Amino acid sequence: MTDIELIERAVEEEAERILAANDRIWEFAELPFHEDKSAGLLCGLLKESGFTVETGLAGIPTCFTGTFSFGSGRPVMGILGEYDALSGLSQEAAVPVKKELMEGAPGHGCGHCALGTGALAAAIAVKKYLEEFRKDGTIIYFGCPAEEGAGSKQFMARAGMFDDVDFVYTWHPSTANQVDPMHSNAIMGANFYFKGLTSHAGATPYLGRSALDSVELMSVGCNYLREHIIPEARIHYAYIDAGGTAPNVVQDHATVRYEVRAPYVSQVKELYERVVNVAKGAAMMAGTTVECELAMAFTEYIPNMALASVADECMQEIGAPDWTDEDYRLAREFLNTYNEQTKTMIRKEIIDKYGEDRLEEILENPLDSEIHSFDPSKIKLEAGSTDVGDVGYAVPTLNINVATCCIGNVGHTWQMTAQSCSPIAHKGLLTAAKVMALASVRTMDRPDVIEAAKTEVKKRNGGKYTCPLPDSVKPPLDTY
């Protein structure tokens, strides 16, 4: 039996319980740092499959690992899994009409239910490969909470969880089948707590010092700051606490959360300090005080070229998910739920990726049915951020994308929630499992690839991973 035959058989043997796990985690829809049932389900499946499970790692109750070793235990391979949901995206499964399961409840609008279970299937398949072929090696499933919140992987890397790992593969639900060609932004986020003095806003406003004024002044300052930053950078904010609901009371407390992004973590750190200075100035102007609580930071993700060459070959061999007419029909119905402005953008994206001559064909059958070859010269910066970047600065890491939703799908929407518990996602996550498992066993037999991959990491991190958060910053389990 060849390696690809064993991997495909192993994943198919696990398909029933893996897909059931996806659907259960989709139902749980637990928010960042509170994925108790989801993590428990994944840990249970790992134990049933013969993995040694450790929980509560890196100071996070829902962070865990599942480890299996054979022979000497070298090399050490890692697979990353995620399982957190997003707030306010509750939606019925596989239904192309906006219909909440529970009003205002969370939903898997980024497909992390599929991400975590597909990664688990890959880890189990690698274990079976080591046993069947009696190969030396270790496979570790890393249970990573809160990617949609303050992240966990930077805390995991800071705790040394990847220090002894030779390489890592992961994936993300997507609209396309390819080695992820994106360079993601680095990001830093903090809560700014302003304190002032209450007073009667009508009778004695001059005795009060408004914390809410400080927050609004900070917003003005950051708006002016936007003109004087690099065009790739971003500044986001949200009012966490407006200081009350009574306009005739001067607000003595207010909290705003700011996040800043830029292509590289060094640029983010510099921009973050400028935002902190704006906050200090806002406090001075309003006569208040401000406390800054840095809570999250991700290093940028850049594909590891050595791993990409292996994974790209494996994707070509495994192939795209085998879509049916019913799958295409469902995808078409989801595509048609978007408004005309979004559809115009989708048509442009289809032309850019597939060519204008295929526009009508793709609109009729809007599921990616091919593998797009990885081209290192076409890596491009994307606006989003992920804590996978921190793993990539600690150990060779690669992310692949596999279609689990219609072409043109917009992430973090009810449409994505619905598709994440559908036959489309089921086929995508099993395909992703096969690709990651095959890439892992192919890489473990290529010391030259592993060495080249590690050399890339050393060039990026200078020989050692440095967490963008100081040791004093702990996982914000209840505050972010």
Side-chain angles (χ1 to χ4, degrees):
M1 184 182 296
T2 64
D3 56 1
I4 190 171
E5 289 172 337
L6 186 144
I7 292 299
E8 289 186 320
R9 186 191 71 182
V11 171
E12 292 301 330
E13 288 174 347
E14 296 295 325
E16 184 176 352
R17 66 175 185 152
I18 290 296
L19 297 182
N22 173 80
D23 296 355
R24 287 293 288 154
I25 292 173
W26 182 91
E27 291 172 1
F28 296 151
E30 295 170 297
L31 292 174
F33 296 122
H34 299 282
E35 314 94 334
D36 300 293
K37 290 184 286 188
S38 301
L41 175 58
L42 292 167
C43 287
L45 290 171
L46 283 164
K47 291 175 182 177
E48 290 175 12
S49 300
F51 286 76
T52 300
V53 174
E54 294 184 76
T55 61
L57 304 176
I60 305 171
T62 52
C63 177
F64 63 90
T65 57
T67 304
F68 174 80
S69 293
F70 195 90
S72 70
R74 305 297 308 190
V76 179
M77 301 166 276
I79 302 277
L80 305 180
E82 298 169 11
Y83 32 89
D84 59 320
L86 287 153
S87 62
L89 289 180
S90 175
Q91 166 65 26
E92 287 196 13
V95 175
V97 177
K98 191 176 191 316
K99 193 174 182 182
E100 289 179 294
L101 276 173
M102 183 181 299
E103 184 177 357
H108 273 284
C110 206
H112 289 182
C113 51
L115 197 168
T117 52
L120 176 61
I124 293 172
V126 173
K127 173 184 178 289
K128 290 185 177 181
Y129 173 86
L130 296 177
E131 292 174 316
E132 183 83 14
F133 287 96
R134 304 191 65 78
K135 289 268 193 174
D136 291 347
T138 295
I139 179 66
I140 304 175
Y141 179 97
F142 289 93
C144 308
E147 194 276 339
E148 299 291 1
S152 61
K153 299 180 189 71
Q154 74 276 43
F155 297 109
M156 295 165 70
R158 190 178 70 184
M161 289 178 61
F162 302 104
D163 288 355
D164 197 41
V165 180
D166 289 295
F167 60 87
V168 167
Y169 283 104
T170 190
W171 80 291
H172 202 284
S174 179
T175 61
N177 307 302
Q178 60 190 359
V179 171
D180 187 358
M182 299 298 180
H183 165 170
S184 73
N185 272 321
I187 187 171
M188 296 186 80
N191 291 330
F192 293 85
Y193 300 95
F194 289 90
K195 300 294 183 184
L197 291 172
T198 58
S199 187
H200 193 297
T204 55
Y206 46 85
L207 296 180
R209 298 293 182 267
S210 174
L212 182 58
D213 284 356
S214 296
V215 169
E216 297 200 84
L217 287 167
M218 182 179 178
S219 294
V220 172
C222 286
N223 282 336
Y224 280 107
L225 178 61
R226 286 184 173 92
E227 183 182 359
H228 305 287
I229 61 179
I230 59 174
E232 299 84 0
R234 298 285 187 272
I235 303 174
H236 320 297
Y237 71 100
Y239 281 44
I240 305 302
D241 172 18
T245 59
N248 61 343
V249 176
V250 175
Q251 296 86 354
D252 71 341
H253 60 92
T255 303
V256 65
R257 177 176 297 162
Y258 268 83
E259 293 179 351
V260 296
R261 304 181 200 251
Y264 296 96
V265 71
S266 58
Q267 297 168 324
V268 161
K269 288 180 178 179
E270 188 267 343
L271 178 56
Y272 171 73
E273 289 303 321
R274 293 172 72 184
V275 169
V276 170
N277 286 335
V278 170
K280 292 177 180 177
M284 290 177 65
M285 284 188 284
T288 64
T289 62
V290 63
E291 178 185 344
C292 171
E293 179 188 58
L294 177 62
M296 65 92 71
F298 302 165
T299 305
E300 69 275 5
Y301 168 79
I302 300 174
N304 187 286
M305 301 304 170
L307 297 185
S309 64
V310 175
D312 188 49
E313 292 178 1
C314 294
M315 291 199 79
Q316 301 291 341
E317 290 187 51
I318 295 295
D322 186 15
W323 308 119
T324 65
D325 289 342
E326 180 61 23
D327 295 330
Y328 285 124
R329 181 198 62 77
L330 183 60
R332 189 164 54 249
E333 290 182 355
F334 275 107
L335 181 59
N336 288 332
T337 64
Y338 290 109
N339 61 37
E340 286 307 313
Q341 180 180 3
T342 303
K343 287 180 182 177
T344 298
M345 179 197 72
I346 291 170
R347 291 188 187 97
K348 182 179 183 304
E349 290 177 351
I350 290 173
I351 291 170
D352 290 344
K353 194 173 190 70
Y354 298 92
E356 189 166 9
D357 59 323
R358 296 186 64 191
L359 175 60
E360 294 307 318
E361 170 201 342
I362 299 299
L363 289 174
E364 182 64 20
N365 296 304
L367 287 171
D368 197 22
S369 60
E370 56 196 79
I371 303 296
H372 305 274
S373 297
F374 178 70
D375 185 347
S377 68
K378 293 184 178 180
I379 293 174
K380 62 180 181 179
L381 181 70
E382 66 172 7
S385 307
T386 173
D387 58 358
V388 174
D390 285 271
V391 185
Y393 264 71
V395 62
T397 302
L398 187 78
N399 183 65
I400 67 167
N401 291 329
V402 176
T404 61
C405 52
C406 68
I407 290 171
N409 178 75
V410 178
H412 292 201
T413 58
W414 67 263
Q415 289 95 333
M416 184 63 174
T417 301
Q419 291 173 90
S420 295
C421 188
S422 75
I424 297 172
H426 288 171
K427 291 180 179 178
L429 74 88
L430 294 177
T431 299
K434 295 171 184 177
V435 173
M436 288 186 290
L438 185 61
S440 296
V441 303
R442 292 276 176 86
T443 304
M444 69 177 286
D445 287 333
R446 293 285 305 275
D448 58 321
V449 170
I450 295 174
E451 186 58 35
K454 289 182 176 181
T455 298
E456 285 186 48
V457 174
K458 289 176 183 177
K459 287 181 179 179
R460 289 178 191 163
N461 69 13
K464 181 182 179 182
Y465 168 76
T466 301
C467 184
L469 293 171
D471 290 345
S472 59
V473 176
K474 306 303 180 184
L477 304 181
D478 296 305
T479 60
Y480 203 86

